[in-house]
Every structure is written in C-alpha cells, then in structure tokens.
Amino acid sequence: MNASPFPLEPGPAELEAHTRAVAEFVLAHVASLGEQPSFDLDGIEAVRASFREAVPEAGRPLGELLGRLAPAIAKSYNTAGPGYLAYIPGGGVYASALADFIATATNRYVGVTQAAPALAQIEGTAVAWLCTLMGLPAGSRGILTSGGSLSNFSAIVAARHERLGESFQDGSIYFSGETHHCVTKAARLAGFPRASLRELPTDARRRLVPAALDAAIRDDRSRGRRPFLVVANVGTTNTGAVDPLPEVVRIAREHGLWVHADAAYGGFFRLAPGGEALLRGIEDCDSITLDPHKGLFLPYGLGALLVRDGGALARAHRESASYVQDVTAEGSLGFADLSPELSRDFRGLRLWLPLMLHGVTAFREQLAEKLSLARWAYESLRDDPRFEMLDEPQLSVVAFRLRGTAEEADRLGPELLQRVNARRRVFLSSTRIDSRYVLRLCVLSFRTHEDRVRDAVEALREGARTLLG
Ligand SMILES: Cc1ncc(COP(=O)(O)O)c(C=O)c1O
C-alpha cells in the first residue's frame, strides 16, 4: 500500500482498507450479540491495565488496535444484547451507527443553520417529528442533546427563565420522590439551592399525589416563595410509574407553573397502539424530555428536549457575538441559539436515518412487543407464590421481591439476582423502594424477544425455588 506523505491524510486505498477492517470488526460483533454472554468482567483488571499507557509518539497498525479493542468491548455488560434487562436498556439500532459514520466522516457543521442549511433542516425535521409524535402543537420546537440529563437541565433553565427571570433563588420546583436524580442535579446546576427542591409523596403505585402538589404550592406561596415548575414522571426508573399528567397539568395551570415531563424512559410508548391513552396528558405539558437512546433503541448519546412554546428555548439560550455575524441572519434560529452547545456532532442524522430507513411502524411494533413481554413476565411471576409483585407494569418495568419476612426477602434478593445473572443469559438489576430490596426487569431492547424474557422468568423461578424451597 502506498504510504501518504501526510499520515493524517491516508490515501484512498488505505482509507478503504481501514474502513473495511472496521466494518468487518463491527459486523462480526453485531452478528454474535445473541450468543455473547449478558455480561463478562472476568479478567477485566488485566485488560484495563493494558490501556494505562503513555501517549504514542508513532502510530500503530489499525489491525493491532482493533485486536486490543476486542477484549475491552467483550469485558463489559452486554448492553446491546437481547439479555440486557437491567436499569433502562438501550439497544443501538445499527442504522444510527451508519449515520454517525456519515456524519463524522463528512464533518459538516450544523450548530449554525447557514453552514449546512439542508443538514440543519434534516435535524429540524427529525425534531419536528418527535413533537408531532408527542402530540405537541405547531410552534413547538426542540433540541437534540447527549441524553435525558442534559435535556432536563435545559428544560429547567428554560422554565426558570420564562417564569422567574434573573432572580430565582426563591423559586420552588416540585417532583415526586421517584423522580430520577438527574433532575435535582440539573436544578442545582441551574443555580437553585436545595431549599428550592420540593419532593412530594407518591401513591401505592409510585405516582405523584396531585393533592400533595396543590397543597405544597399553596404552602410555599403563603411563605413568600415562588412556585414555578413541576417535573412529572412519564415512566420512573424504579418501576415505570407514570404520574397522573392531566391532574398535574390542571393544578400547574391553576397556579401558573410550567409542567415538564421527564419522559426519558417512557415517552416513546406513546407510539405503541393505545399509547396515547396510556400517556394521556403528555401533549399538554410545556416541555418533554425524551431519550431516543432508550425508547427508540438508538445508541447511547441521544436525548431530546421538546418545548411547547419554541421561543422559550431561544429566550433562555441565545447569545450573540460579532465573530459569528456572517452566519447569524436576523430572525433565523440555529441549534446553537436553542441549546447550551455551539460546536457539536451532527446528531440529527442518527435519528433521521433509522426513522427513514425503517419507518415509524417498525418502532411502534417493537414498543408494543416490549409492553406485552413485560406484561407476560409480570403475570408469570405473579402466579408463582414465591414472588411478591410491587405493581402491575405501567409500562415495561416489572418490579418484585421474594416473599417471606422483610429480613429474609432483603437477604435472599441479592442472592437471587446473583444466581440469575451468573448464568450470563440475562442481566437484571435491583433497587430499593421504601428501604426494601427490590428486583427489577426492564424490557426495552429491540433485540429482546419472548425467548429471552422466558429465559429470565424461568431462571428467576428456579432460583426462587432453590432459595425458598
Ligand atoms: C426517567 C429517567 N430520566 C432521566 C434519565 C437520565 O437520562 P440520561 O442517562 O440519558 O442522561 C434516566 C436514565 O436512566 C431516566 O430513567
């Protein structure tokens, strides 16, 4: 192969060889996902240690580097495999990887519209699709972020700017005790003191209690505070609980609060048959966090924030500078005007390409399958006297514990989890609810089908039989 005089500009033959080598490497990995163990950390310390190294002065052959990457990928949780039922699974639809390859190889700039108007339109259109799918009206707009945490951050900043202005330390934010911890983190990053954070109780199904919201707002008002934002859960991480959105929206409207839906996990279930009724009220929220890297099965690194009054995003984020005068046309808003970021990847393509290539129906079908698999797992475990179910699945999380005394169930629960995961066919995770140990199984990967959920349920039942007799 002819070596280029400029190593950072390999010639066409070398580029092609590199591209083929990477494609072969990735395709072999993806093809074997179903047979790979659900996790494998055996010998990880040695693999990890092999990457503690000095910066290389001279380059190494790609084949050698891919050879080193293989064990680093293998020694991990198989988060892309069908057996991943822990936390909130993602998946990694392959079309997004192709999109990332195109986006980074062409390296166009989409932060300002003028630099690549049609590519910015692709991203704008993909975001507009999300607004439509969530039932938001014309005038809504949004941004793509790296994930739900940063979407929630920008939502809080936008709500703060709209409802409180420059001075906001006396503002109050309401959310249930089941809310994801990235919401309180985002509130702190947005400048709010702990005193602004008002955690509210949940009902037996772990949903925010509307009467408690109303009472807390009135109480805070009477003490001179400024209630301005309620964050409602559309699928909690613990159990998939959906807060009563219509009542939350009604109370928020009565008191002039902004309603933000953290639908990072649950929002895309609106696409499944019956999903609009399941998530009724999401369309009335002021802003919505979605995580396409969860409910649309895309690779990690893609969140979205949708805002009903699209102007609010610009009012909260827009700044100007003379050195961008050539690319800032009066009246036109680029993504940099709507979000904290300026330079960034062309992430719209990783959403647009899979939706275009597969069509939304393929995603609707997958989401419907996840709901029914979770329902099936719930019913199978519920019918086994060794399990105590926390709730019927509101979405695709099944939460349960072993029956018996609290001491026994809390002691044997981790052992059951360890036994089931040790088979390396599936991977489940646990949580604590009301200080009690709880196992959870979350069905969300597009690669998870009936066989793997059946495998998980059988392993749980067998493990429970061994532990409880
Ligand atoms: C309900 C909910 N909100 C927000 C987040 C944070 O999203 P991300 O991890 O994409 O930042 C998560 C993550 O699991 C979540 O489950």
Side-chain angles (χ1 to χ4, degrees):
M1 205 171 293
N2 293 337
S4 157
F6 304 107
L8 298 187
E9 292 179 76
E14 197 178 348
L15 278 185
E16 188 177 337
H18 281 176
T19 308
R20 282 188 197 286
V22 168
E24 266 171 38
F25 176 83
V26 168
L27 289 172
H29 176 82
V30 171
S32 70
L33 273 171
E35 287 81 56
Q36 291 174 23
S38 60
F39 80 100
D40 179 9
L41 293 171
D42 297 347
I44 180 61
E45 264 320 312
V47 179
R48 195 175 177 191
S50 73
F51 287 96
R52 293 192 191 105
E53 56 196 332
V55 60
E57 206 53 59
R60 310 291 315 158
L62 180 63
E64 176 191 318
L65 302 178
L66 292 177
R68 292 185 62 199
L69 269 179
I73 294 168
K75 298 292 168 187
S76 58
Y77 297 174
N78 184 1
T79 42
Y84 194 69
L85 305 168
Y87 309 101
I88 306 287
V93 161
Y94 191 70
S96 289
L98 299 175
D100 282 359
F101 181 59
I102 297 169
T104 51
T106 57
N107 200 31
R108 289 298 188 257
Y109 199 92
V110 296
V112 294
T113 306
Q114 285 86 333
L119 300 183
Q121 184 60 56
I122 287 176
E123 184 159 324
T125 296
V127 172
W129 290 341
L130 297 184
C131 290
T132 306
L133 291 171
M134 290 303 123
L136 291 179
S140 55
R141 61 190 313 164
I143 51 172
L144 297 180
T145 66
S146 61
S149 300
L150 285 191
S151 300
N152 284 335
F153 172 71
S154 271
I156 290 173
V157 170
R160 185 196 77 195
H161 188 271
E162 290 298 293
R163 300 294 154 98
L164 298 179
E166 297 275 303
S167 160
F168 52 79
Q169 297 279 304
D170 54 353
S172 289
I173 304 173
Y174 305 86
F175 52 91
S176 91
E178 290 294 316
T179 300
H180 195 276
H181 67 288
C182 73
V183 169
T184 47
K185 185 184 191 179
R188 287 173 51 226
L189 291 174
F192 288 98
R194 293 264 181 210
S196 291
L197 308 178
R198 279 286 240 145
E199 186 179 307
L200 300 172
T202 52
D203 63 14
R205 303 196 70 196
R206 325 305 303 181
R207 301 171 301 191
L208 184 146
V209 177
L213 171 65
D214 188 59
I217 294 171
R218 289 176 194 279
D219 178 48
D220 278 344
R221 277 254 157 80
S222 73
R223 292 187 299 112
R225 294 199 63 87
R226 288 194 292 158
F228 79 101
L229 168 66
V230 52
V231 178
N233 293 309
V234 180
T236 60
T237 317
N238 265 345
T239 62
V242 180
D243 287 341
L245 295 172
E247 282 114 306
V248 169
V249 170
R250 184 184 57 70
I251 293 166
R253 293 274 175 270
E254 191 187 324
H255 294 285
L257 270 67
W258 177 293
V259 187
H260 174 64
D262 180 2
Y265 155 58
F268 285 110
F269 284 110
R270 193 172 194 271
L271 276 58
E276 291 181 20
L278 199 61
L279 305 189
R280 197 161 54 86
I282 195 170
E283 65 281 1
D284 294 321
C285 292
D286 294 295
S287 54
I288 304 171
T289 282
L290 293 174
D291 254 347
H293 68 201
K294 295 186 171 75
L296 271 191
F297 325 115
L298 304 191
Y300 296 123
L302 195 68
L305 171 64
L306 312 178
V307 179
R308 180 178 211 82
D309 170 5
L313 274 177
R315 290 190 289 275
H317 291 95
R318 194 173 195 190
E319 289 289 335
S320 63
S322 53
Y323 42 76
V324 287
Q325 63 185 11
D326 302 337
V327 286
T328 40
E330 200 52 46
S332 100
L333 292 172
F335 297 114
D337 298 313
L338 307 175
S339 82
E341 295 176 283
L342 179 57
S343 302
R344 58 155 171 100
D345 54 328
F346 172 27
R347 56 183 70 125
L349 200 61
R350 55 168 30 200
L351 177 60
W352 183 88
L353 191 67
L355 288 174
M356 273 296 195
L357 191 64
H358 302 301
V360 178
T361 302
F363 291 86
R364 293 187 197 281
E365 288 168 2
Q366 275 300 309
L367 288 157
E369 187 197 23
K370 304 308 99 144
L371 290 173
S372 72
L373 285 174
R375 182 87 215 168
W376 179 84
Y378 163 75
E379 284 168 4
S380 309
L381 294 172
R382 180 200 58 192
D383 293 346
D384 186 319
R386 294 172 189 85
F387 293 101
E388 177 190 330
M389 310 310 289
L390 264 76
D391 188 13
E392 293 179 36
Q394 293 176 45
L395 297 174
S396 70
V397 179
V398 186
F400 52 96
R401 56 170 77 98
L402 283 169
R403 271 198 203 282
T405 65
E407 184 281 323
E408 198 177 27
D410 285 358
R411 180 169 47 80
L412 295 178
E415 210 172 309
L416 177 60
L417 180 73
Q418 199 275 332
R419 275 171 187 265
V420 170
N421 287 349
R423 297 163 61 257
R424 305 198 184 196
R425 288 278 300 159
V426 294
F427 192 72
L428 273 58
S429 63
S430 72
T431 184
R432 274 193 183 270
I433 296 180
D434 296 336
S435 310
R436 297 281 314 278
Y437 185 88
V438 171
L439 290 132
R440 46 188 297 296
L441 179 157
C442 180
V443 192
L444 198 63
S445 170
F446 67 103
R447 294 193 173 101
T448 302
H449 302 293
E450 190 192 330
D451 56 331
R452 206 55 78 118
V453 177
R454 193 176 284 281
D455 185 291
V457 166
E458 280 167 10
L460 282 163
R461 297 181 65 168
E462 191 190 311
R465 260 196 310 277
T466 313
L467 291 170
L468 294 182

